Amino acid sequence: SRSAMDHQPKFFENLSGAGKAIAVLTSGGDAQGMNAAVRAVVRMGIYVNAKVYFIYEGYQGMVDGGDNIVEVSWESVSSILQVGGTVIGSARCKAFRTREGRLQAAFNLVQRGITNLCVIGGDGSLTGANLFREEWSGLLEELAQKGKIDAEAVKKYAYLNIVGMVGSIDNDFCGTDMTIGTDSALHRIIEVVDAIMTTAQSHQRTFVLEVMGRHCGYLALVSALACGADWVFIPEYPPEEGWEDSMCVKLSENRARKKRLNIIIVAEGAIDCHNKPITSEKVKDLVVQRLGFDTRVTILGHVQRGGTPSAFDRILASRMGVEAVLALLEATPDTPACVVSLSGNQAVRLPLMECVQMTQEVQKAMDEGRFLEAVRLRGRSFENNLNTYKLLSHKKPDAELPKTNFNVAVLNVGAPAAGMNAAVRAAVRVGMTEGHKIFAVIDGFEGFARGKIKEISWGDVGGWTGQGGSILGTKRTLPAKYLEKIADQMRTNNINALMVIGGFEAYLGLLELSAAREKYDEFCVPMVMVPATVSNNVPGSDFSIGADTALNTITDTCDRIKQSASGTKRRVFIIETMGGYCGYLANMGALAAGADAAYIFEEQFDIRELQANVEHLTEKMKTSIQRGLVLRNENCNENYTTDFIYQLYSEEGKGVFDCRKNVLGHMQQGGAPSPFDRNFGTKISAKAMQWISKKLKETYRKGKVFANTDDSVCLLGMRRRNLVFQPVAELKSETDFVHRIPKEQWWLKLRPLMKILAKYKTSYDVSDSGQLEHVAMLPKEAETGAI
């Protein structure tokens, strides 16, 4: 049994870095978000009183020493959060692969007393770091023999601690759901695909797009999912013999269905089942020869590695950077070198070599033609993506589809959120594959009551993934005042199940409909809700569709405002975000944009707090960073309004800084959905439709569907690491109905991160981190929710 000690919460303020020196380097190919990781490591290190050093130009700088290794200050990492690539440079290094090189590197580190290394790079860089650690004591002894260091130093610096973070756009590292840079690379790809689709549409063209990823098909697969590509080639899942014929049949069928364009995505490492490469040129020639379609090739190249990091990558890298410093503070000579990574929504530590070995296993499986094994080794997220893609991209001939005679209605409820359309598309296509008839309801419950309902088919939802807003139309109206009319429509159209895609109103709506079951048999059918709202305030789910897109909009806007403030100097901006009473957008936006403060409803604040923030900014203006950014959630406090805070700051800051305010407003609900929202919307909705099919089978008795138990009205949410169906009745106790937010919210745990990175003294509960986990081969049945 675990001792009582283990149950004490662990706070990071009790961990001290005094007397320790940490060096951070970036190595291998660059990736967007590396700078956010560097910034977090530097600030967290300084925060716990350690010395922090930059090593410029990766391992090359470690070998060359001199002014490649410099101690840094808090301000050294200012303004780099929004910059792509890595500001400390990265180089491929031949010298470090030799023992002489590593000997020199060890000497350079010992001279500065550095025994903690934080390495941000791909698997090659991390493997190198591990070897360096294993050789460390031997290297020091050799340096002592050569008289370069004294015996005292050998004792004092006897151990090297290493923590890795994976920075690579390829997402090819096992043990981590997302590597730093992957989400940003997807942003670049999706921007390009969206742009190409409009020109392809005009000319009825076929486009073959080649994306990066080395030997990993993740980028190709997810971008194919996110733009509804007609065909995708990836190394882990080569096409079957005779794929040339089936691809051409598929393309010409799509044209016959009045589809004006075809998109084919090819991963740069794509192969056929005989391990022969499949190139984009080869695919183009095939289409031209066989079908005579007007075909163009676009190779995306290094665009994918460039540009500003997405909100997701900034938050991921910031979380990992802080976690890496914690791991270094807690490292002992006996703990193996570890990587910090994210599993679902949870920061974890994994033994570095286990991850590397597993990553190499994938390559081996592919080389030996064991492709099913390769897909499995890539992890659950990859496998989920592949299965969803297979489900949605190819329409089976009507003759092959089962016929269930069930009718399922799909509707959008609440405010528009980017990604709703992707969810509708997935629902329609999965529902049809399962043999149901799908009905689309226009304008939410209000439209339902008015009979605005029509059957919708496979082709009707083509191209919906990339569309923002809600094509079906959405309303905030709740069903309670239309119960009679909605029941009539359910009966008239013989609706056997409901799928509701929306925000807090959708949740309230399902509660109302299930309460009305006593009176109306029509509502005794399976009902499921898929959370979609920019506010991310739905109980039972860590994420909702649309929140990521809104977060990116806020982050982009804050970047621009920061530039304006940096130009004018000594200026503080107060920015108001949406979210109702939920502080998710304000808090995470502040973390992603590098803000100085975020006012939210969930954390009460008073005039003393406001005073402290003004004083903090006054101090900041004395440094080289003469600008401030403060986010405020629209409902954080009824008296401390955006105007009030703006006026207070303006008065108190007189002579030190001036103030501007900015209300972001409804632009937060618009825009093309981000890759995350497209992918999340698609997968969660497909899963919800499969649940409906299962429930319909279970509740079909004597020629009709009858479901009146709590577990037949569910909300599908992402919780920590899994997608779970939860009866809405059970979520009631977890909900604050007055303020329309869940009583407990996971992201409040990240609140101290923002404060630490903005130099506020704070308390931070780190009880969750610290257990070293192992890379598990997941059992086949595991119901998982890795996005």
Side-chain angles (χ1 to χ4, degrees):
S1 69
R2 300 181 67 184
S3 65
M5 273 295 293
D6 285 353
H7 297 298
Q8 296 294 315
K10 180 173 74 173
F11 290 99
F12 96 112
E13 49 273 34
N14 305 333
L15 296 167
S16 166
K20 293 189 174 180
I22 299 172
V24 57
L25 75 146
T26 52
S27 169
D30 72 327
Q32 308 95 319
M34 279 184 166
N35 289 327
V38 168
R39 168 180 179 267
V41 170
V42 169
R43 292 198 166 171
M44 183 68 172
I46 291 173
Y47 198 98
V48 297
N49 293 318
K51 283 184 160 182
V52 186
Y53 290 83
F54 274 169
I55 298 178
Y56 286 101
E57 314 307 336
Y59 287 119
Q60 192 63 54
M62 202 195 293
V63 175
D64 295 346
D67 52 13
N68 285 305
I69 307 177
V70 288
E71 192 179 343
V72 287
S73 69
W74 190 272
E75 278 111 69
S76 307
V77 289
S78 168
S79 304
I80 66 170
L81 186 62
Q82 60 269 36
V83 180
T86 162
V87 294
I88 54 176
S90 174
R92 311 259 178 218
C93 174
K94 288 207 173 72
F96 195 74
R97 295 196 174 153
T98 65
R99 188 171 165 95
E100 287 71 58
R102 292 192 290 276
L103 193 65
Q104 187 56 45
F107 175 65
N108 292 332
L109 294 185
V110 169
Q111 272 193 312
R112 296 167 178 79
I114 298 169
T115 56
N116 294 283
L117 266 193
C118 180
V119 182
I120 308 166
D123 52 350
S125 318
L126 299 181
T127 316
N130 193 58
L131 175 65
F132 190 40
R133 178 176 191 247
E134 285 169 358
E135 289 182 349
W136 183 259
S137 52
L139 293 170
L140 293 201
E141 273 159 22
E142 191 176 327
L143 287 169
Q145 278 162 9
K146 291 186 171 170
K148 286 196 161 186
I149 58 173
D150 54 23
E152 183 56 36
V154 178
K155 269 218 293 286
K156 191 175 173 190
Y157 304 123
Y159 304 105
L160 178 69
N161 297 319
I162 282 185
V163 172
M165 281 184 264
V166 189
S168 155
I169 65 166
D170 305 335
N171 204 19
D172 56 357
F173 195 77
C174 291
T176 165
D177 279 352
M178 288 294 266
T179 57
I180 297 168
T182 306
D183 186 65
S184 302
L186 287 170
H187 272 260
R188 295 300 92 78
I189 295 171
I190 295 304
E191 284 155 19
V192 170
V193 176
D194 285 355
I196 278 178
M197 277 183 148
T198 52
T199 163
Q201 199 101 26
S202 313
H203 297 281
Q204 299 202 34
R205 282 204 171 119
T206 296
F207 269 87
V208 180
L209 299 176
E210 184 180 306
V211 301
M212 282 177 143
R214 253 178 49 222
H215 306 296
C216 175
Y218 184 88
L219 289 177
L221 179 56
V222 175
S223 46
L225 248 185
C227 68
D230 297 87
W231 202 272
V232 64
F233 292 98
I234 57 172
E236 294 85 348
Y237 185 73
E240 291 160 12
E241 286 282 11
W243 59 269
E244 296 87 348
D245 299 331
S246 35
M247 182 182 80
C248 291
V249 168
K250 166 97 201 289
L251 296 178
S252 45
E253 272 176 10
N254 279 354
R255 283 296 168 94
R257 279 204 218 101
K258 300 278 187 291
K259 188 174 176 187
R260 294 179 59 92
L261 77 163
N262 305 107
I263 301 275
I264 299 167
I265 292 182
V266 184
E268 63 179 353
I271 46 175
D272 64 17
C273 49
H274 306 297
N275 258 321
K276 298 269 183 301
I278 296 178
T279 63
S280 37
E281 278 301 326
K282 181 175 167 183
V283 175
K284 174 198 157 174
D285 294 342
L286 186 77
V287 176
V288 173
Q289 280 159 15
R290 300 251 184 129
L291 301 170
F293 288 172
D294 184 357
T295 308
R296 297 281 188 276
V297 172
T298 298
I299 295 173
L300 295 188
H302 282 75
V303 165
Q304 296 161 88
R305 287 237 293 253
T308 177
S310 64
F312 182 95
D313 272 332
R314 297 182 198 195
I315 292 164
L316 173 70
S318 301
R319 284 178 73 178
M320 286 197 194
V322 167
E323 185 69 27
V325 173
L326 290 176
L328 285 171
L329 293 182
E330 296 184 274
T332 67
D334 309 323
T335 48
C338 73
V339 287
V340 292
S341 94
L342 211 58
S343 170
N345 195 12
Q346 188 78 21
V348 292
R349 296 180 197 170
L350 300 161
L352 187 143
M353 286 322 286
E354 279 185 27
C355 296
V356 169
Q357 274 148 8
M358 180 113 140
T359 305
Q360 288 164 351
E361 283 295 308
V362 182
Q363 193 52 50
K364 212 169 116 202
M366 279 162 33
D367 292 343
E368 292 169 11
R370 294 178 292 139
F371 295 109
L372 282 172
E373 184 67 4
V375 169
R376 211 166 70 90
L377 286 167
R378 277 273 182 242
R380 58 190 190 173
S381 164
F382 191 89
E383 213 168 350
N384 272 350
N385 282 317
L386 185 58
N387 293 335
T388 312
Y389 177 78
K390 288 196 271 194
L391 208 58
L392 295 173
S393 60
H394 301 256
K395 181 178 189 287
K396 286 187 180 152
D398 292 341
E400 285 178 35
L401 290 175
K403 278 278 173 284
T404 61
N405 295 324
F406 290 132
N407 296 342
V408 182
V410 179
L411 65 161
N412 290 165
V413 175
M420 277 183 162
N421 301 320
V424 173
R425 167 182 177 266
V428 169
R429 293 196 167 177
V430 173
M432 288 184 69
T433 308
E434 307 258 309
H436 315 315
K437 272 190 180 165
I438 309 293
F439 287 80
V441 177
I442 312 298
D443 296 340
F445 288 120
E446 201 174 302
F448 208 162
R450 295 201 187 134
K452 292 170 137 182
I453 176 168
K454 58 172 202 285
E455 193 181 337
I456 185 167
S457 69
W458 187 279
D460 295 338
V461 290
W464 278 29
T465 341
Q467 304 286 326
S470 161
I471 297 173
L472 291 183
T474 181
K475 286 261 190 291
R476 286 181 180 269
T477 325
L478 292 171
K481 56 182 190 182
Y482 297 119
L483 289 173
E484 185 81 42
K485 288 180 170 169
I486 294 176
D488 279 348
Q489 289 300 329
M490 302 252 316
R491 194 171 49 249
T492 315
N493 294 288
N494 190 19
I495 300 299
N496 310 110
L498 270 189
M499 175 152 160
V500 185
I501 300 163
F504 203 84
E505 286 84 5
Y507 165 64
L508 294 176
L510 281 194
L511 285 172
E512 291 181 0
L513 290 179
S514 63
R517 279 174 162 182
E518 293 171 31
K519 197 170 165 197
Y520 301 97
D521 274 4
E522 287 83 356
F523 300 137
C524 294
V525 296
M527 304 187 213
V528 67
M529 167 180 170
V530 169
T533 163
V534 297
S535 306
N536 196 22
N537 63 334
V538 177
S541 192
D542 290 355
F543 293 115
S544 58
I545 299 165
D548 183 69
T549 305
L551 205 50
N552 277 295
T553 304
I554 293 168
T555 310
D556 291 348
T557 311
C558 287
D559 285 351
R560 294 179 182 197
I561 288 171
K562 260 169 95 168
Q563 271 180 338
S564 148
S566 299
T568 36
K569 299 271 186 307
R570 295 177 171 273
R571 181 163 282 179
V572 174
F573 274 87
I574 318 283
I575 296 167
E576 181 185 304
T577 69
M578 282 180 140
Y581 284 95
C582 175
Y584 179 81
L585 290 178
N587 188 66
M588 300 308 254
L591 191 55
D596 295 285
Y599 298 117
I600 60 173
F601 168 77
E602 291 88 348
E603 192 173 283
Q604 296 291 303
F605 57 98
D606 56 21
I607 196 74
R608 285 182 295 276
E609 186 111 359
L610 291 168
Q611 176 70 26
N613 291 148
V614 172
E615 284 164 10
H616 191 91
L617 284 166
T618 308
E619 282 305 299
K620 187 176 172 181
M621 295 299 161
K622 294 178 187 164
T623 70
S624 57
I625 320 168
Q626 299 184 347
R627 55 154 208 283
L629 200 59
V630 175
L631 271 63
R632 178 190 173 272
N633 159 273
E634 56 185 356
N635 288 352
C636 64
N637 186 303
E638 56 181 333
N639 294 314
Y640 298 146
T641 60
T642 301
D643 283 330
F644 176 92
I645 292 179
Y646 162 67
Q647 286 166 340
L648 179 86
Y649 272 66
S650 298
E651 179 60 34
E652 296 292 316
K654 266 190 186 153
V656 184
F657 56 80
D658 62 354
C659 237
R660 292 287 182 274
K661 67 169 195 258
N662 208 316
V663 177
L664 297 185
H666 281 75
M667 61 189 261
Q668 293 165 89
Q669 279 179 9
S674 66
F676 181 91
D677 280 333
R678 295 180 191 199
N679 197 358
F680 183 52
T682 299
K683 282 206 277 202
I684 195 170
S685 170
K687 200 173 167 84
M689 187 54 81
Q690 289 167 328
W691 177 87
I692 284 182
S693 298
K694 188 174 117 241
K695 283 288 174 217
L696 282 170
K697 283 194 192 81
E698 286 171 15
T699 57
Y700 184 68
R701 295 279 173 281
K702 299 187 181 152
K704 69 177 287 218
V705 171
F706 187 80
N708 66 347
T709 51
D710 280 351
D711 67 356
S712 60
V713 187
C714 278
L715 179 149
L716 172 56
M718 167 141 174
R719 283 232 150 142
R720 284 182 100 145
R721 303 189 188 187
N722 299 310
L723 284 174
V724 269
F725 288 94
Q726 304 143 99
V728 288
E730 287 173 19
L731 291 172
K732 281 210 290 223
S733 60
E734 296 179 24
T735 310
D736 168 353
F737 284 99
V738 180
H739 300 103
R740 303 158 52 95
I741 51 175
K743 287 179 185 168
E744 295 213 345
Q745 304 187 80
W746 66 273
W747 53 266
L748 283 168
K749 278 205 162 146
L750 300 187
R751 186 130 171 98
L753 281 196
M754 187 208 92
K755 294 183 180 174
I756 290 166
L757 297 173
K759 216 175 187 171
Y760 282 94
K761 284 280 169 258
T762 181
S763 175
Y764 182 28
D765 181 350
V766 291
S767 316
D768 274 2
S769 59
Q771 288 77 35
L772 195 66
E773 299 191 9
H774 291 282
V775 184
M777 261 319 308
L778 285 143
K780 279 312 272 176
E781 316 69 76
E783 277 294 328
T784 58
I787 306 301

